[in-house]
Amino acid sequence: MSDIFVFFAGFQTVIMNKILVTGGCGFIGSHTLVDLIENGYQVISADNNSRSHIQILNGVEKITGVKVKNYVVDLCNFDDTCAIFQENPDLKGIIHFAAYKAVGESVENPLMYYENNLNSLLNLLRCANDFKIPHFVFSSSCTVYGNPDEIPVTEKTPFKPAESPYGNTKQMGEEIIQHTIHAHPNINAILLRYFNPVGAHPSAEIGEIPIGKPANLVPAITQTAIGKLSQMKVWGNDYPTRDGSCIRDYIHVCDIAHAHTLALNLMQQSRNSLDVFNLGTGNGYTVLEVINSFEKVSGKKLNYQISSRRPGDVVAIYANNDKAKNILQWEPRYSLEDMMKTAWEWEVKLKEDDNLFGAVKAALN
């Protein structure tokens, strides 16, 4: 495949280029690799696999027929990061996923989060400027809104103080990008504020593989159902919500992935120096509602315990996604039941397919 070619989508002509995906072996990164390849992009990955598994790229290859090259690089090391760009002078875009993301862990170890999440971003932006990379997509989060006064939140909802160091790194990351774009107008950027990505690719070839005990709800659900965990916890049932548990906007990972392709397409069609989009379904579900949906789809009864509130958690948040629908032409396709079904099918395959996932399972034990 040549580095640049013309792809006809309706009446629009989109120029396709080579894209660096940081954290490409991770949950959202691997699904985005698939979506980019299926839409004609060339891709390379940079992932030091400290919190991911290189074997996930085998699943990407099974789905797409393309073997993706991964650079095992710590992006906090500038020289090693710079070497990726030196070796790939035809890069035209960066999608930056590589960051630590566990709210609870960030509360316990804030310095690790500030060091990793901010230094990696600074190095990539410096390389984007030095090597004249025109397009930058940033993996942001709804945590930037803190505990908002009103929901659903729009892209203009004022930030409240971050509830965790993780959320603060996303607020700071957005500000760093804004200042960089202002100083270096040769770079344009899109900030994508994810709500709660869940599920797995419908092929069950790729999905989420938490390192150690999962901090997020859905892998905790599936690992409890499969027997990896004897019990899961619901962190609080005394919130001011309809059943006392937190409310979140759960969105299928494939829907999230496709938004990155659309973001690159948009930047190549019209040069807006900076834009931001919420990525959520627009519906808020409580933790207990998600558990009930999983039990219905899987036929499994979950063993869970109500525990005290977890530091860093916001009460309720979900998206107004009108801007993404109208400008990105993005439309979520998967229901909550689809999310639970694909997450469960991935968990079952992860347990049963020893040939494909043996090394992954060994690393989890």
Side-chain angles (χ1 to χ4, degrees), residues 141-363:
S141 166
C142 64
T143 57
V144 298
Y145 297 112
N147 260 312
D149 291 329
E150 296 181 358
I151 48 178
V153 294
T154 73
E155 289 81 0
K156 294 183 179 180
T157 296
F159 289 1
K160 289 297 195 70
E163 292 293 311
S164 68
Y166 163 71
N168 202 32
T169 65
K170 291 302 183 183
Q171 289 183 345
M172 296 172 70
E174 288 198 7
E175 292 175 352
I176 289 168
I177 293 169
Q178 291 168 14
H179 295 156
T180 301
I181 299 306
H182 179 75
H184 303 289
N186 56 302
I187 308 170
N188 58 335
I190 286 180
L191 315 176
L192 297 178
R193 293 174 182 161
Y194 315 150
F195 281 66
N196 290 74
V198 297
H201 194 272
S203 68
E205 295 292 350
I206 57 174
E208 188 168 9
I209 309 176
I211 303 296
K213 191 172 183 179
N216 295 330
L217 175 62
V218 174
I221 288 174
T222 59
Q223 288 192 16
T224 302
I226 205 80
K228 290 180 183 176
L229 299 177
S230 60
Q231 186 183 67
M232 63 169 288
K233 292 184 178 181
V234 173
W235 301 102
N237 68 342
D238 58 349
Y239 287 99
T241 63
R242 50 187 173 265
D243 61 20
S245 61
C246 290
I247 292 176
R248 298 289 184 269
D249 188 338
Y250 296 93
I251 177 77
H252 197 281
V253 64
C254 289
D255 285 329
I256 291 281
H258 188 55
H260 294 78
T261 300
L262 296 176
L264 288 172
N265 291 350
L266 178 65
M267 285 191 288
Q268 291 179 94
Q269 294 168 30
S270 59
R271 187 170 180 82
N272 294 322
S273 59
L274 182 69
D275 215 337
V276 57
F277 298 95
N278 285 337
L279 298 182
T281 63
N283 298 309
Y285 298 100
T286 70
V287 171
L288 294 175
E289 287 169 347
V290 174
I291 288 174
N292 291 335
S293 176
F294 176 82
E295 290 179 337
K296 178 182 176 182
V297 167
S298 68
K300 296 283 186 178
K301 187 68 177 175
L302 282 176
N303 180 21
Y304 64 88
Q305 176 187 28
I306 303 296
S307 188
S308 57
R309 295 186 183 188
R310 182 173 57 178
D313 281 342
V314 301
V315 177
I317 190 165
Y318 55 93
N320 178 315
N321 59 14
D322 290 345
K323 184 178 178 182
K325 287 182 175 181
N326 294 332
I327 297 178
L328 280 184
Q329 301 296 303
W330 177 75
E331 190 73 39
R333 298 167 292 172
Y334 294 86
S335 68
L336 180 61
E337 289 73 22
D338 295 330
M339 300 176 210
M340 297 301 105
K341 180 176 183 292
T342 55
W344 178 234
E345 289 172 345
W346 162 251
E347 190 69 67
V348 170
K349 180 161 187 176
L350 190 60
K351 179 180 180 180
E352 294 179 350
D353 197 332
D354 290 324
N355 291 329
L356 183 58
F357 296 113
V360 172
K361 290 194 295 183

Side-chain angles (χ1 to χ4, degrees), residues 128-139:
N129 184 56
D130 290 348
F131 291 89
K132 297 181 171 52
I133 310 297
H135 307 307
F136 193 94
V137 182
F138 180 60
S139 168

Side-chain angles (χ1 to χ4, degrees), residues 2-247:
S2 61
D3 289 347
I4 301 177
F5 66 95
V6 179
F7 173 77
F8 294 97
F11 295 103
Q12 296 177 330
T13 302
V14 181
I15 305 300
M16 300 299 177
N17 298 287
K18 184 191 277 189
I19 305 300
L20 168 64
V21 178
T22 73
C25 300
F27 179 39
I28 308 175
S30 59
H31 286 79
T32 300
L33 289 174
V34 168
D35 199 89
L36 290 169
I37 293 167
E38 290 179 341
N39 284 277
Y41 283 90
Q42 282 190 300
V43 294
I44 57 172
S45 168
D47 195 316
N48 67 1
N49 301 128
S50 64
R51 301 198 170 192
S52 63
H53 296 282
I54 191 66
Q55 292 90 344
I56 207 72
L57 294 182
N58 295 334
V60 172
E61 184 175 2
K62 282 193 172 184
I63 296 168
T64 64
V66 174
K67 187 174 183 62
V68 176
K69 181 173 183 176
N70 180 62
Y71 289 85
V72 184
V73 166
D74 181 356
L75 297 171
C76 293
N77 183 304
F78 177 75
D79 289 340
D80 290 347
T81 302
C82 183
I84 299 172
F85 294 85
Q86 292 172 333
E87 190 173 315
N88 296 274
D90 51 347
L91 277 172
K92 298 300 180 184
I94 302 166
I95 300 178
H96 181 38
F97 293 109
Y100 296 157
K101 62 177 184 177
V103 168
E105 182 186 51
S106 77
V107 174
E108 296 172 359
N109 199 342
L111 294 180
M112 180 177 72
Y113 269 67
Y114 288 117
E115 180 179 13
N116 182 78
N117 291 5
L118 297 182
N119 285 344
S120 59
L121 174 62
L122 292 171
N123 285 341
L124 286 167
L125 288 172
R126 181 176 167 187
C127 287
N129 184 56
D130 290 348
F131 291 89
K132 297 181 171 52
I133 310 297
H135 307 307
F136 193 94
V137 182
F138 180 60
S139 168
S140 191
S141 166
C142 64
T143 57
V144 298
Y145 297 112
N147 260 312
D149 291 329
E150 296 181 358
I151 48 178
V153 294
T154 73
E155 289 81 0
K156 294 183 179 180
T157 296
F159 289 1
K160 289 297 195 70
E163 292 293 311
S164 68
Y166 163 71
N168 202 32
T169 65
K170 291 302 183 183
Q171 289 183 345
M172 296 172 70
E174 288 198 7
E175 292 175 352
I176 289 168
I177 293 169
Q178 291 168 14
H179 295 156
T180 301
I181 299 306
H182 179 75
H184 303 289
N186 56 302
I187 308 170
N188 58 335
I190 286 180
L191 315 176
L192 297 178
R193 293 174 182 161
Y194 315 150
F195 281 66
N196 290 74
V198 297
H201 194 272
S203 68
E205 295 292 350
I206 57 174
E208 188 168 9
I209 309 176
I211 303 296
K213 191 172 183 179
N216 295 330
L217 175 62
V218 174
I221 288 174
T222 59
Q223 288 192 16
T224 302
I226 205 80
K228 290 180 183 176
L229 299 177
S230 60
Q231 186 183 67
M232 63 169 288
K233 292 184 178 181
V234 173
W235 301 102
N237 68 342
D238 58 349
Y239 287 99
T241 63
R242 50 187 173 265
D243 61 20
S245 61
C246 290
I247 292 176

